[in-house]
Amino acid sequence: MLDKMILGRYVPVDSTIHKMDPRSKLLLVFLFVCIIFLANNLISYGLIGLFTLILLMLSKIPIRFLYNGLKPILFLIIFTFVLHILFTKEGEVVFNFGWLEIYDGGLRQGLFISLRFTFLILVTSLLTLTTNPISITDGMETLLHPFKKWKLPVHELSLMMSIALRFIPTLMEETDKIMKAQMARGVDFSSGPLKERIKAIVPLLVPLFVSAFKRAEELAIAMEARGYRGGEGRTKYRQLKWQTVDTLLMLSLVVLTILLVLLRS
Amino acid sequence: MRITLQDVEYRYQINTPFEHLALHDVNMDIVSGSYTAIIGHTGSGKSTLLQHLNALLKPTKGSITIGDRTIESGRKEKHLRAIRRSVGIVFQFPEHQLFEETVEKDICFGPMNFGVSEKDAKDRARKALEQVGMDEEILEKSPFDLSGGQMRRVAIAGVLAMEPDVLVLDEPTAGLDPRGRMEIMDMFYQLHKERGISTILVTHSMEDAARYADEIIIMHQGTVFKKGTPFDIFSQPEQLLELGLDVPDTVRFQLKLQKELGVRFDRPCLSIEDLATEVKKAMERGNR
Ligand SMILES: Nc1ncnc2c1ncn2[C@@H]1O[C@H](COP(=O)(O)OP(=O)(O)OP(=O)(O)O)[C@@H](O)[C@H]1O
Ligand SMILES: [Mg+2]
């Protein structure tokens, strides 16, 4: 049922992007999120699209899988697009259906915002799809290390993040299991009047929360039992290694940034 | 109610990189009023198979006939409620499905979803609770204040109260104490005998499979490896051991006697009484 969900999922295949250092991937995503706001015309959006496409190809994540996983978000994107078309009244009128006037400004705005949204989602999902949670945490911790001076609880933050990432698929599985158990007891989650369907959430949420809290408690005990004492003086078994690919991709991002600045209109 | 599976295949997460073939070429025919045990290694697809029996999962290939409804792959199915009402499933670790404030409400939840009136549901709750061997006092308690074993019994009562025609049990006694296991298993058997409820039991206990089932189905790597009566199945113990499965203690004892003392048996013994008789016979033969 929730099979197609890709949020927080790691797909273990062998690809260039998978082999990259998590630090460079994190930096890449962070910078990408910033520079996407530089784009303000068709060419620059095309350029970002091309860059995204190259990343996707390099990652070897099957496009169909990605598409199925992001389908629920597609609705949101189309919704934004339509809103802009209907309510942004800038520039010249392109269509006129009597009661409905569509302006070219609205069309542009709608298109750009939808594209921006799409690229952002794609690139950020690529991070979790190609990097296992432990590596993400390692990368985060190393990158944020300098902020420790200002009393930022870097280790704790990255631990929290990795636990959250790690448990998204588990929670999905659990949801699926409980849904099935309640369906066997006559609950109908997918049809019937809205009121009934909202009521059907209770038998799902209660067991889910109960098990999530239980899981959290067990995890805490298991960590303590194995001697977890926080990040102080802790060494790493897996050392992060910066490779040529990382340098190359960071460079390509710099080139992209320069191009975007030049292309701004 | 008869359940027939034809060339059933099931793939988890089809069309994703995580696609996993869990069942293939599964054919079986579960006749009305029978007791079927499904055994098999961990991960052999038993739980996946069970979820097809009341249309919680739809086959990715093949078809399943449940009573007079046929579920086929690739077709959108609606109105499955009738199937869910007549086929009750006790899942592996059913205690995870409890959610109501009181035990009574939780047991009434299933029946009331299927249109039973509140009063009737409450009567059923009392009866079901008695069947699983628990006191009425517990009705007003919160299910979350119970012990694990008590929660298990309440969850089972919740399914019994639906009064299904077919009862599907996925390792219902895993993790219970020995006495509790016996009680619960005997109770299911009684229901099967008295009301003619078709029962399908997934179990890792060969003793249970031998004692209760009319037919045993061995699942191996997602398909039916072998089926037959307990006698058929346990008359070739070597095959079972090769698959990494066990045989009942009585059969293991026979094997050991055969190996150590050269005693020959013509057939597997599936109960202690039967074993004692056979051993006695063998000894008398040996003395002569
Ligand atoms: N939601 C799922 N997504 C992907 N694969 C799954 C899922 N559930 C089960 N599987 C896989 O399908 C196969 C069969 O699983 P199933 O739960 O049916 O086994 P089982 O025979 O019930 O085992 P056990 O005796 O341990 O309960 C396993 O290999 C399992 O990894
Ligand atoms: Mg199972």
Side-chain angles (χ1 to χ4, degrees), chain B residues 152-205:
Chain B
R152 172 79 55 91
R153 284 165 189 253
V154 168
I156 292 176
V159 176
L160 292 182
M162 286 161 37
E163 302 192 345
D165 306 322
V166 179
L167 200 52
V168 176
L169 309 166
D170 197 348
E171 297 180 45
T173 55
L176 288 186
D177 61 286
R179 169 105 173 270
R181 294 177 60 115
M182 281 272 284
E183 281 171 14
I184 298 264
M185 288 313 300
D186 282 342
M187 183 271 301
F188 285 132
Y189 191 63
Q190 281 250 308
L191 276 181
H192 161 74
K193 279 285 169 219
E194 281 167 15
R195 298 205 205 142
I197 297 181
S198 320
T199 307
I200 297 137
L201 167 76
V202 164
T203 182
H204 285 290
S205 154

Side-chain angles (χ1 to χ4, degrees), chain A residues 97-226:
Chain A
F97 305 108
W99 54 276
L100 173 75
E101 285 176 334
I102 294 178
Y103 294 80
D104 74 337
L107 216 56
R108 260 171 71 94
Q109 283 260 338
L111 183 70
F112 286 172
I113 292 198
S114 320
L115 281 176
R116 190 186 293 164
F117 202 50
T118 313
F119 297 148
L120 277 179
I121 301 268
L122 280 174
V123 171
T124 39
S125 344
L126 210 56
L127 176 70
T128 48
L129 284 169
T130 63
T131 324
N132 71 39
I134 298 177
S135 306
I136 295 187
T137 320
D138 273 359
M140 274 281 268
E141 204 173 341
T142 329
L143 282 179
L144 291 179
H145 195 75
F147 295 97
K148 255 197 167 146
K149 271 196 228 112
W150 293 290
K151 292 265 180 338
L152 187 74
V154 173
H155 176 79
E156 286 72 16
L157 279 179
S158 39
L159 182 75
M160 266 160 59
M161 199 184 75
S162 85
I163 291 177
L165 281 175
R166 157 70 184 75
F167 278 101
I168 289 174
T170 314
L171 222 59
M172 290 289 148
E173 235 168 72
E174 194 94 9
T175 310
D176 190 60
K177 232 191 244 161
I178 296 169
M179 269 173 95
K180 279 182 181 156
Q182 306 300 24
M183 274 156 77
R185 294 210 283 166
V187 177
D188 198 346
F189 288 103
S190 53
S191 61
L194 191 67
K195 200 179 136 222
E196 291 297 310
R197 272 203 255 177
I198 292 175
K199 256 172 51 193
I201 304 282
V202 178
L204 174 63
L205 281 190
V206 173
L208 205 59
F209 272 101
V210 169
S211 86
F213 280 117
K214 215 185 278 167
R215 228 179 252 290
E217 209 176 290
E218 281 168 7
L219 183 69
I221 292 173
M223 281 168 74
E224 237 165 77
R226 287 193 254 171

Side-chain angles (χ1 to χ4, degrees), chain B residues 28 55 62 90 122 136 138 156 174 194 202 232 234 275 278 287:
Chain B
M28 58 177 72
V90 175
K122 282 188 174 172
E136 269 188 25
I138 214 166
I156 292 176
E194 281 167 15
V202 164
D232 294 340
F234 295 119
L275 179 63
E278 283 297 307
N287 283 344

Side-chain angles (χ1 to χ4, degrees), chain A residues 1-5 9-13 61-62 64-65 68 129 174 176-188 191 196 202-204 206-208 210-211 214, chain B residues 10-18 51 54-57 78 81 84-85 87-89 91-92 96-100 106-107 109-111 113-114 144 151 155 158-159 162:
Chain A
M1 221 163 301
L2 302 162
D3 281 1
K4 302 240 152 64
M5 187 77 190
R9 203 111 180 253
Y10 170 60
V11 182
V13 286
I61 304 283
R64 184 150 73 146
F65 172 64
N68 280 332
L129 284 169
E174 194 94 9
D176 190 60
K177 232 191 244 161
I178 296 169
M179 269 173 95
K180 279 182 181 156
Q182 306 300 24
M183 274 156 77
R185 294 210 283 166
V187 177
D188 198 346
S191 61
E196 291 297 310
V202 178
L204 174 63
V206 173
L208 205 59
V210 169
S211 86
K214 215 185 278 167
Chain B
Y10 187 78
R11 290 172 194 272
Y12 276 107
Q13 314 195 33
I14 192 161
N15 299 330
T16 72
F18 303 99
Q51 288 168 40
N54 76 348
L56 283 173
L57 289 181
K78 283 240 162 120
R81 202 168 269 214
R84 307 261 160 82
R85 202 209 70 78
V87 184
I89 296 198
F91 281 88
Q92 229 167 340
H96 297 322
Q97 71 193 29
L98 301 175
F99 74 98
E100 283 280 18
D106 207 283
I107 301 180
F109 180 69
N113 277 330
F114 292 117
F144 298 106
M151 281 167 93
V159 176
M162 286 161 37

Side-chain angles (χ1 to χ4, degrees), chain A residues 173 176, chain B residues 12-13 20 22 40-49 92 171 204:
Chain A
E173 235 168 72
D176 190 60
Chain B
Y12 276 107
Q13 314 195 33
H20 179 90
H41 218 261
T42 228
S44 57
K46 305 181 298 291
S47 298
T48 312
L49 177 67
Q92 229 167 340
E171 297 180 45
H204 285 290

